[in-house]
Amino acid sequence: MSAHQATTSTPGERAQALLQVLKQKDLIPDGYIEHMTQLMAHQWSPENGARVVAKAWVDPQFRELLLKDGTAACAQFGYTGPQGEYIVALPDTPSVKNVIVCSLCSCTNWPVLGLPPEWYKGFEFRARLVREGRTVLRELGTELPADVIVKVWDTSAETRYLVLPVRPKGSESMDEEALRKLITKDVLIGVALPYVA
Ligand code: FE
């Protein structure tokens, strides 16, 4: 079969074949796959980002650090590692809504947000968010007033973002633990706003 002929193997089969070859050539350190699987399944989660945001809402000093050196602020919780080497927090204001995309592929801040949702990796979101952010947000259920500016941040090779939303109305008496529950993966990406039900 020439390199140009279509293959009928599934992505899973191709991944297994690639894994076998890499193992044969001794290119995968012992335990690497198991370690990454463990991180993805059990440690990388938007609950991590929720901790970071809730603390920034109640602790002005931590907020200052988060905005100055996001990597150091997240490291205080142990949220470091692959795709979290250079973290930048994007503060929303009443007049600015930040949203994250990776127009090239699917880069996300794994240790803080978890793995990206399917739609985040889709061509449509990646292409359209940059051109018509406000419309895409509306379609995703987030209607913004006309005077709010939508700022789209395209993930670069190094930078991994998280959105620091405005603390919502009605949350004034909530403690840090209750505030965490308002923060979802969509909120951390910036396509949704936190709200008190
Ligand atoms: Fe990417």
Side-chain angles (χ1 to χ4, degrees):
M1 188 170 85
S2 87
H4 297 287
Q5 266 178 295
T7 168
T8 52
S9 61
T10 65
E13 286 166 345
R14 292 201 291 279
Q16 282 302 324
L18 189 61
L19 177 61
Q20 264 188 5
V21 174
L22 290 171
K23 274 187 173 166
Q24 278 162 17
K25 292 180 182 284
D26 230 7
L27 289 171
I28 297 185
D30 279 345
Y32 177 79
I33 301 279
E34 293 74 12
H35 174 63
M36 290 301 281
T37 307
Q38 159 74 17
L39 286 174
M40 286 176 196
H42 302 293
Q43 291 194 33
W44 292 336
S45 151
E47 286 173 22
N48 299 350
R51 275 176 187 272
V52 173
V53 168
K55 186 162 174 69
W57 279 345
V58 300
D59 179 343
Q61 257 186 328
F62 181 78
R63 180 189 160 92
E64 205 182 311
L65 174 67
L66 180 64
L67 296 180
K68 206 172 87 186
D69 186 344
T71 317
C74 292
Q76 285 192 357
F77 289 93
Y79 307 148
T80 58
Q83 304 275 317
E85 291 94 347
Y86 181 59
I87 296 173
V88 173
L90 306 167
D92 284 353
T93 71
S95 56
V96 175
K97 179 79 205 85
N98 297 288
V99 194
I100 305 167
V101 66
C102 177
S103 64
L104 198 63
C105 44
S106 59
C107 300
T108 4
N109 188 341
W110 290 348
V112 173
L113 274 69
L115 295 179
E118 282 305 313
W119 53 260
Y120 183 92
K121 298 185 269 188
F123 285 117
E124 196 180 340
F125 178 72
R126 284 158 45 201
R128 288 185 58 221
L129 186 71
V130 184
R131 290 202 311 266
E132 42 178 359
R134 188 179 303 275
T135 308
V136 172
L137 285 182
R138 186 185 307 124
E139 288 168 8
L140 289 169
T142 301
E143 180 87 49
L144 295 171
D147 58 351
V148 172
I149 297 164
V150 179
K151 265 187 149 174
V152 176
W153 298 78
D154 197 357
T155 303
S156 72
E158 291 87 20
T159 312
R160 295 294 174 268
Y161 297 111
L162 79 141
V163 171
L164 175 56
V166 175
R167 184 169 169 168
K169 279 200 185 89
S171 70
E172 293 78 8
S173 63
M174 288 180 162
D175 63 11
E176 213 175 316
E177 201 181 327
L179 290 170
R180 280 180 208 148
K181 299 198 173 82
L182 308 179
I183 314 297
T184 62
K185 188 178 291 199
D186 286 4
V187 168
L188 294 164
I189 292 172
V191 296
L193 291 166
Y195 64 93
V196 179

